[in-house]
Amino acid sequence: MGDTVHMPDSRAPDFPQRVFSGIQPSGGLTLGNYLGAIKRFVEMQDSGVETIYCVVDMHAITVWQEPDALRRATRELAAGYLAAGLDPARSILFNQSQVPAHAELGWIFNCVARMGWLNRMTQFKDKAGKNREKASVGLFAYPNLMAADILAYHATHVPVGEDQKQHLELTRDIAIKFNNDYGVEFFPVVEPVIEGAATRVMSLRDGTKKMSKSDPSDMSRINLTDDADTIARKVRKAKTDPEPLPEAPGGLEARPEARNLVNIYAALSGGSVAQVMAEHGGKPFSEFKPLLADLAVAELAPISAEMARLMHDPAEIDRILADGAARARVLAQPILERTFDIVGMVRG
Ligand code: AQP
């Protein structure tokens, strides 16, 4: 696995390579989270680079979360990390709220980032919708906290799906402005790692919309906790057009639903879109969908079973998160202290 990982050249050559990423416990994990993020997290861990993966619970509460549901989603996400192959002995796994440095550095970055920068964030516009006045301040400032998550560890590489690209550009802008304002070379300019066939998995009901854990329609997504029958049913019912698959990748251009299913197939099989087309081009969906369903079940069923097993022992999950948080605090605290010092805060 390790040799499939491509780490783009760092723009922070003076910093040792360190990977950070996170996922919100804002619902159950989807195939989008798995292919766009978790599968890549595991590959990076297995390649031997230092990896830190977070359950970003403070991000989750930027929109309302029932406390009990948040607790459950936090443990379920941690179980998903473990079941997919993240190993607490090789990666630091923890939840964000157990490491205060994230919030503390986030405040400093609230004072570095400009309103105009945040006003341009498309995710805020999408999530706040027409109800901007009623959105939480946290939802607006979300990218500043995300910058703090990453920069509190001087991380150099961040594996994410395509939708997070703009937030990572903002993280870079914050690092550059902080360094310029204070005349230091303290924060690295991070590199997003957005690679693979499924950097943007789309809804099974609408090929122009991202697959999302908070979409009201459960049929729009495959959840990592879905059983084999449910996965097969969702794939069978996935929206498609009446034409068979095209013979070549170019034929997918104006066919978002077909493209999405081919991308998912490629990501699950570990091949390229061109390989999938070479093998399955010209097949009707009635033939292609069952093959896709089989592939999805083969990959996800063991993960789902392991998640269910792990969820029977929440105390063990809590122990793993607490242990990871203790290790994360050791890394983040000196970086936070130095930041306070650079800014001019008196520390006793
Ligand atoms: N559909 C997707 N395709 C590829 N990657 C995806 N990611 C999310 N959806 C897809 C990637 O998963 C990581 C964690 O995302 P997040 O939970 O922090 O927030 P999100 O991007 O807003 O994910 P959701 O599922 O859409 O959550 P909600 O519905 O709560 O907003 C990121 O790396 C993301 O790119």
Side-chain angles (χ1 to χ4, degrees):
M1 264 279 161
D3 57 357
T4 62
V5 172
H6 169 239
M7 294 281 277
D9 285 346
S10 175
R11 282 181 227 195
D14 297 338
F15 292 83
Q17 282 195 347
R18 183 179 275 171
V19 169
F20 177 95
S21 198
I23 298 185
Q24 301 183 70
S26 48
L29 285 166
T30 70
L31 182 67
N33 298 133
Y34 177 68
L35 294 177
I38 299 179
K39 204 168 150 84
R40 318 303 318 285
F41 296 180
V42 177
E43 288 167 5
M44 287 191 165
Q45 166 194 273
D46 292 350
S47 78
V49 65
E50 188 180 3
T51 43
I52 306 170
Y53 297 122
C54 190
V55 176
V56 286
D57 48 7
M58 296 201 301
H59 283 285
I61 61 162
T62 56
V63 298
W64 172 250
Q65 307 290 336
E66 286 295 338
D68 283 340
L70 179 61
R71 265 184 282 275
R72 184 180 167 83
T74 299
R75 293 182 178 124
E76 197 173 274
L77 176 45
Y81 279 172
L82 296 166
L86 291 182
D87 171 2
R90 288 185 290 154
S91 292
I92 295 182
L93 308 179
F94 69 105
N95 58 316
Q96 188 185 25
S97 60
Q98 294 206 66
V99 182
H102 293 242
E104 292 175 80
L105 191 58
W107 180 259
I108 306 246
F109 290 166
N110 282 345
C111 304
V112 173
R114 306 289 95 181
M115 292 288 287
W117 299 359
L118 293 175
N119 272 327
R120 287 194 284 277
M121 293 297 112
T122 55
Q123 184 162 311
F124 176 74
K125 289 182 201 161
D126 291 346
K127 288 200 172 176
K130 294 199 180 71
N131 235 347
R132 213 184 142 98
E133 292 295 310
K134 295 231 169 92
S136 73
V137 175
L139 188 66
F140 186 71
Y142 180 117
N144 297 344
L145 180 59
M146 178 165 158
D149 299 337
I150 297 163
L151 295 175
Y153 301 95
H154 278 183
T156 54
H157 292 79
V158 186
V160 282
E162 180 69 38
D163 61 319
Q164 292 299 327
K165 192 170 180 204
Q166 195 186 31
H167 287 164
L168 281 171
E169 275 158 14
L170 193 107
T171 297
R172 288 214 293 265
D173 290 343
I174 287 175
I176 291 167
K177 180 160 164 50
F178 182 97
N179 289 346
N180 282 343
D181 286 354
Y182 293 101
V184 290
E185 280 304 320
F186 185 61
F187 286 117
V189 179
V190 298
E191 204 53 54
V193 188
I194 304 173
E195 286 174 4
T199 55
R200 192 168 172 79
V201 177
M202 308 310 277
S203 157
L204 298 180
R205 307 306 302 157
D206 176 353
T208 63
K209 248 175 71 184
K210 189 183 82 152
M211 183 182 285
S212 175
K213 47 176 124 66
S214 53
D215 190 311
S217 164
D218 192 56
M219 290 302 284
S220 70
R221 62 178 163 263
I222 292 174
N223 304 301
L224 286 204
T225 48
D226 284 343
D227 60 25
D229 287 348
T230 309
I231 294 174
R233 185 165 43 88
K234 287 179 175 177
V235 173
R236 203 171 55 242
K237 292 205 180 263
K239 187 179 163 204
T240 44
D241 55 50
E243 301 298 319
L245 281 178
E247 298 287 345
L252 294 168
E253 278 306 313
R255 300 176 59 190
E257 280 85 16
R259 189 174 59 223
N260 189 35
L261 297 187
V262 169
N263 284 347
I264 293 173
Y265 191 102
L268 285 170
S269 65
S272 65
V273 169
Q275 283 165 335
V276 179
M277 299 313 294
E279 206 177 326
H280 301 293
K283 283 187 183 152
F285 283 106
S286 57
E287 240 178 87
F288 182 66
K289 280 179 169 178
L291 297 173
L292 177 58
D294 286 350
L295 201 56
V297 169
E299 175 122 354
L300 301 185
I303 297 176
S304 161
E306 178 63 3
M307 280 174 77
R309 194 190 65 78
L310 290 164
M311 285 299 281
H312 280 120
D313 191 357
E316 174 60 8
I317 294 178
D318 295 359
R319 192 199 61 73
I320 290 170
L321 292 175
D323 177 67
R327 287 153 63 205
R329 283 195 293 270
V330 170
L331 295 179
Q333 200 56 32
I335 292 172
L336 181 70
E337 287 301 332
R338 179 75 189 116
T339 309
F340 280 138
D341 184 43
I342 290 169
V343 170
M345 305 289 190
V346 173
R347 313 286 285 174

Short mmCIF file of all heavy atoms in Angstrom, two decimals, residues 21-24 26 30 32-33 35-37 41 56 123 127 142 159-164 198-202 210-215, ligand 1:
data_model
loop_
_atom_site.label_atom_id
_atom_site.label_comp_id
_atom_site.label_asym_id
_atom_site.label_seq_id
_atom_site.Cartn_x
_atom_site.Cartn_y
_atom_site.Cartn_z
N SER A 21 -5.22 15.37 9.53
CA SER A 21 -6.53 15.59 8.93
C SER A 21 -7.60 15.25 9.97
O SER A 21 -7.30 14.69 11.03
CB SER A 21 -6.73 14.77 7.65
OG SER A 21 -7.82 15.32 6.91
N GLY A 22 -8.84 15.59 9.65
CA GLY A 22 -9.92 15.34 10.60
C GLY A 22 -11.25 15.18 9.88
O GLY A 22 -11.39 15.52 8.70
N ILE A 23 -12.20 14.64 10.59
CA ILE A 23 -13.57 14.48 10.09
C ILE A 23 -14.53 14.89 11.21
O ILE A 23 -14.25 14.65 12.39
CB ILE A 23 -13.84 13.02 9.66
CG1 ILE A 23 -12.89 12.63 8.51
CG2 ILE A 23 -15.29 12.82 9.23
CD1 ILE A 23 -13.14 11.24 7.92
N GLN A 24 -15.64 15.49 10.83
CA GLN A 24 -16.63 15.91 11.83
C GLN A 24 -17.53 14.75 12.24
O GLN A 24 -18.05 14.06 11.37
CB GLN A 24 -17.57 16.95 11.24
CG GLN A 24 -16.94 18.19 10.73
CD GLN A 24 -18.03 19.13 10.25
OE1 GLN A 24 -18.79 19.67 11.03
NE2 GLN A 24 -18.11 19.30 8.94
N SER A 26 -20.58 14.57 12.67
CA SER A 26 -21.86 15.26 12.49
C SER A 26 -22.90 14.31 11.91
O SER A 26 -23.88 14.75 11.32
CB SER A 26 -21.66 16.48 11.58
OG SER A 26 -20.91 16.13 10.43
N THR A 30 -19.89 8.31 5.59
CA THR A 30 -20.37 7.92 4.26
C THR A 30 -19.23 7.34 3.42
O THR A 30 -18.05 7.50 3.75
CB THR A 30 -20.92 9.13 3.50
OG1 THR A 30 -19.82 9.98 3.14
CG2 THR A 30 -21.93 9.92 4.31
N GLY A 32 -18.34 8.66 0.80
CA GLY A 32 -17.57 9.86 0.42
C GLY A 32 -16.45 10.12 1.42
O GLY A 32 -15.29 10.33 1.05
N ASN A 33 -16.79 10.09 2.72
CA ASN A 33 -15.76 10.28 3.74
C ASN A 33 -14.70 9.18 3.65
O ASN A 33 -13.51 9.43 3.83
CB ASN A 33 -16.36 10.22 5.16
CG ASN A 33 -17.37 11.31 5.45
OD1 ASN A 33 -18.44 11.03 5.98
ND2 ASN A 33 -17.06 12.53 5.10
N LEU A 35 -13.83 7.14 0.92
CA LEU A 35 -12.95 7.16 -0.26
C LEU A 35 -12.17 8.47 -0.35
O LEU A 35 -11.01 8.49 -0.75
CB LEU A 35 -13.78 6.96 -1.54
CG LEU A 35 -14.44 5.59 -1.69
CD1 LEU A 35 -15.29 5.55 -2.94
CD2 LEU A 35 -13.40 4.47 -1.73
N GLY A 36 -12.83 9.59 0.01
CA GLY A 36 -12.16 10.89 -0.11
C GLY A 36 -11.16 11.14 1.00
O GLY A 36 -10.21 11.90 0.82
N ALA A 37 -11.37 10.52 2.15
CA ALA A 37 -10.51 10.85 3.29
C ALA A 37 -9.92 9.59 3.97
O ALA A 37 -8.71 9.35 3.87
CB ALA A 37 -11.31 11.68 4.30
N PHE A 41 -6.11 8.33 4.52
CA PHE A 41 -5.45 8.44 5.84
C PHE A 41 -4.65 7.15 6.11
O PHE A 41 -3.52 7.19 6.59
CB PHE A 41 -6.46 8.58 6.98
CG PHE A 41 -7.31 9.82 7.00
CD1 PHE A 41 -8.25 10.01 8.02
CD2 PHE A 41 -7.20 10.81 6.04
CE1 PHE A 41 -9.04 11.14 8.07
CE2 PHE A 41 -8.00 11.95 6.08
CZ PHE A 41 -8.92 12.10 7.10
N VAL A 56 -13.17 15.88 14.75
CA VAL A 56 -13.27 17.32 15.04
C VAL A 56 -14.66 17.66 15.60
O VAL A 56 -15.52 18.22 14.93
CB VAL A 56 -12.87 18.20 13.82
CG1 VAL A 56 -11.36 18.16 13.64
CG2 VAL A 56 -13.54 17.78 12.52
N GLN A 123 -18.33 26.97 1.34
CA GLN A 123 -19.00 26.02 2.24
C GLN A 123 -19.92 26.75 3.22
O GLN A 123 -21.00 26.28 3.53
CB GLN A 123 -17.99 25.15 2.99
CG GLN A 123 -18.70 24.11 3.86
CD GLN A 123 -17.81 22.97 4.28
OE1 GLN A 123 -17.11 22.35 3.48
NE2 GLN A 123 -17.81 22.66 5.56
N LYS A 127 -23.80 26.04 3.50
CA LYS A 127 -24.40 25.52 4.74
C LYS A 127 -25.34 26.54 5.38
O LYS A 127 -26.34 26.16 5.99
CB LYS A 127 -23.32 25.09 5.72
CG LYS A 127 -22.62 23.82 5.28
CD LYS A 127 -21.90 23.10 6.40
CE LYS A 127 -21.40 21.75 5.91
NZ LYS A 127 -20.61 21.02 6.88
N TYR A 142 -15.35 28.78 11.11
CA TYR A 142 -14.91 27.37 10.97
C TYR A 142 -13.52 27.24 10.33
O TYR A 142 -12.64 26.54 10.85
CB TYR A 142 -15.98 26.67 10.14
CG TYR A 142 -15.82 25.21 9.83
CD1 TYR A 142 -16.75 24.29 10.32
CD2 TYR A 142 -14.79 24.73 9.03
CE1 TYR A 142 -16.64 22.94 10.01
CE2 TYR A 142 -14.69 23.39 8.73
CZ TYR A 142 -15.60 22.50 9.22
OH TYR A 142 -15.48 21.17 8.92
N PRO A 159 -4.45 15.37 3.83
CA PRO A 159 -5.30 14.64 2.88
C PRO A 159 -6.78 14.97 3.10
O PRO A 159 -7.28 14.83 4.21
CB PRO A 159 -5.02 13.16 3.23
CG PRO A 159 -4.56 13.17 4.65
CD PRO A 159 -3.93 14.51 4.92
N VAL A 160 -7.44 15.42 2.05
CA VAL A 160 -8.86 15.80 2.14
C VAL A 160 -9.54 15.53 0.81
O VAL A 160 -8.88 15.29 -0.21
CB VAL A 160 -9.04 17.32 2.44
CG1 VAL A 160 -8.81 17.64 3.90
CG2 VAL A 160 -8.18 18.18 1.54
N GLY A 161 -10.86 15.62 0.82
CA GLY A 161 -11.63 15.59 -0.42
C GLY A 161 -11.61 16.98 -1.06
O GLY A 161 -11.20 17.97 -0.43
N GLU A 162 -12.07 17.01 -2.30
CA GLU A 162 -12.03 18.22 -3.11
C GLU A 162 -12.74 19.42 -2.43
O GLU A 162 -12.29 20.57 -2.54
CB GLU A 162 -12.73 17.89 -4.45
CG GLU A 162 -12.83 18.99 -5.47
CD GLU A 162 -11.50 19.37 -6.06
OE1 GLU A 162 -10.67 18.46 -6.30
OE2 GLU A 162 -11.29 20.58 -6.27
N ASP A 163 -13.81 19.12 -1.67
CA ASP A 163 -14.60 20.22 -1.08
C ASP A 163 -13.81 21.03 -0.05
O ASP A 163 -14.23 22.13 0.31
CB ASP A 163 -15.88 19.65 -0.44
CG ASP A 163 -15.59 18.66 0.68
OD1 ASP A 163 -14.67 17.84 0.52
OD2 ASP A 163 -16.27 18.71 1.71
N GLN A 164 -12.71 20.50 0.43
CA GLN A 164 -11.95 21.23 1.46
C GLN A 164 -10.81 22.07 0.90
O GLN A 164 -10.05 22.70 1.64
CB GLN A 164 -11.37 20.23 2.48
CG GLN A 164 -12.45 19.55 3.32
CD GLN A 164 -13.25 20.55 4.14
OE1 GLN A 164 -12.72 21.56 4.59
NE2 GLN A 164 -14.53 20.27 4.32
N ALA A 198 -11.70 9.29 -6.36
CA ALA A 198 -12.95 9.69 -5.70
C ALA A 198 -12.72 10.84 -4.73
O ALA A 198 -13.05 10.75 -3.55
CB ALA A 198 -13.55 8.49 -4.98
N THR A 199 -12.16 11.93 -5.23
CA THR A 199 -11.96 13.09 -4.36
C THR A 199 -13.27 13.84 -4.16
O THR A 199 -13.37 14.69 -3.30
CB THR A 199 -10.92 14.04 -4.96
OG1 THR A 199 -11.35 14.38 -6.29
CG2 THR A 199 -9.55 13.40 -5.02
N ARG A 200 -14.26 13.52 -4.99
CA ARG A 200 -15.58 14.12 -4.83
C ARG A 200 -16.65 13.08 -5.20
O ARG A 200 -17.05 12.97 -6.36
CB ARG A 200 -15.70 15.37 -5.71
CG ARG A 200 -16.90 16.21 -5.41
CD ARG A 200 -16.79 17.57 -6.13
NE ARG A 200 -18.02 18.31 -6.01
CZ ARG A 200 -18.40 18.98 -4.93
NH1 ARG A 200 -17.62 19.04 -3.87
NH2 ARG A 200 -19.54 19.62 -4.90
N VAL A 201 -17.06 12.30 -4.21
CA VAL A 201 -18.11 11.30 -4.43
C VAL A 201 -19.44 12.03 -4.41
O VAL A 201 -19.70 12.82 -3.50
CB VAL A 201 -18.07 10.22 -3.33
CG1 VAL A 201 -19.19 9.21 -3.52
CG2 VAL A 201 -16.72 9.51 -3.33
N MET A 202 -20.29 11.77 -5.41
CA MET A 202 -21.53 12.52 -5.51
C MET A 202 -22.70 11.71 -4.95
O MET A 202 -22.62 10.49 -4.78
CB MET A 202 -21.80 12.88 -6.98
CG MET A 202 -20.63 13.57 -7.67
SD MET A 202 -19.94 14.96 -6.75
CE MET A 202 -21.05 16.26 -7.23
N LYS A 210 -22.76 16.79 -3.79
CA LYS A 210 -21.82 15.96 -3.04
C LYS A 210 -22.56 14.95 -2.15
O LYS A 210 -23.57 15.30 -1.55
CB LYS A 210 -20.97 16.90 -2.16
CG LYS A 210 -19.80 16.25 -1.48
CD LYS A 210 -19.07 17.23 -0.59
CE LYS A 210 -19.76 17.38 0.76
NZ LYS A 210 -18.87 17.76 1.86
N MET A 211 -22.04 13.73 -2.08
CA MET A 211 -22.57 12.78 -1.09
C MET A 211 -22.21 13.31 0.30
O MET A 211 -21.04 13.62 0.55
CB MET A 211 -21.96 11.39 -1.28
CG MET A 211 -22.53 10.35 -0.33
SD MET A 211 -21.78 8.70 -0.53
CE MET A 211 -22.53 8.13 -2.03
N SER A 212 -23.21 13.41 1.17
CA SER A 212 -22.96 14.08 2.45
C SER A 212 -23.69 13.36 3.57
O SER A 212 -24.80 12.86 3.38
CB SER A 212 -23.47 15.52 2.31
OG SER A 212 -23.38 16.17 3.53
N LYS A 213 -23.05 13.32 4.76
CA LYS A 213 -23.69 12.61 5.87
C LYS A 213 -24.92 13.34 6.37
O LYS A 213 -25.77 12.75 7.01
CB LYS A 213 -22.69 12.33 7.01
CG LYS A 213 -21.82 13.46 7.47
CD LYS A 213 -20.97 13.01 8.66
CE LYS A 213 -19.48 13.18 8.46
NZ LYS A 213 -19.03 14.57 8.35
N SER A 214 -25.03 14.65 6.11
CA SER A 214 -26.21 15.36 6.61
C SER A 214 -27.29 15.56 5.54
O SER A 214 -28.24 16.29 5.77
CB SER A 214 -25.79 16.69 7.24
OG SER A 214 -25.01 17.42 6.36
N ASP A 215 -27.16 14.91 4.39
CA ASP A 215 -28.25 14.96 3.39
C ASP A 215 -29.49 14.29 3.99
O ASP A 215 -29.39 13.18 4.54
CB ASP A 215 -27.81 14.21 2.11
CG ASP A 215 -28.77 14.44 0.96
OD1 ASP A 215 -29.99 14.27 1.15
OD2 ASP A 215 -28.30 14.77 -0.14
N1 AQP B 1 -18.64 13.26 -1.03
C1 AQP B 1 -17.36 13.29 -0.70
N2 AQP B 1 -16.41 12.88 -1.56
C2 AQP B 1 -15.10 12.91 -1.23
N3 AQP B 1 -14.66 13.34 -0.03
C3 AQP B 1 -15.57 13.75 0.88
N4 AQP B 1 -15.48 14.21 2.13
C4 AQP B 1 -16.71 14.47 2.62
N5 AQP B 1 -17.64 14.19 1.69
C5 AQP B 1 -16.96 13.74 0.59
C6 AQP B 1 -14.22 14.38 2.83
O1 AQP B 1 -14.35 13.81 4.13
C7 AQP B 1 -13.57 14.57 5.04
C8 AQP B 1 -14.38 14.92 6.23
O2 AQP B 1 -15.43 15.77 5.91
P1 AQP B 1 -16.17 16.50 7.13
O3 AQP B 1 -16.96 15.56 7.90
O4 AQP B 1 -15.23 17.25 7.93
O5 AQP B 1 -17.10 17.54 6.46
P2 AQP B 1 -17.78 17.58 5.10
O6 AQP B 1 -16.78 17.70 4.01
O7 AQP B 1 -18.78 18.70 5.20
O8 AQP B 1 -18.48 16.14 5.00
P3 AQP B 1 -19.97 15.82 4.92
O9 AQP B 1 -20.14 14.33 4.85
O10 AQP B 1 -20.61 16.59 3.82
O11 AQP B 1 -20.51 16.28 6.32
P4 AQP B 1 -21.67 17.29 6.66
O12 AQP B 1 -22.87 16.71 5.94
O13 AQP B 1 -21.80 17.26 8.14
O14 AQP B 1 -21.29 18.62 6.14
C9 AQP B 1 -13.05 15.79 4.28
O15 AQP B 1 -11.71 15.53 3.88
C10 AQP B 1 -13.94 15.85 3.08
O16 AQP B 1 -13.30 16.46 1.98
#
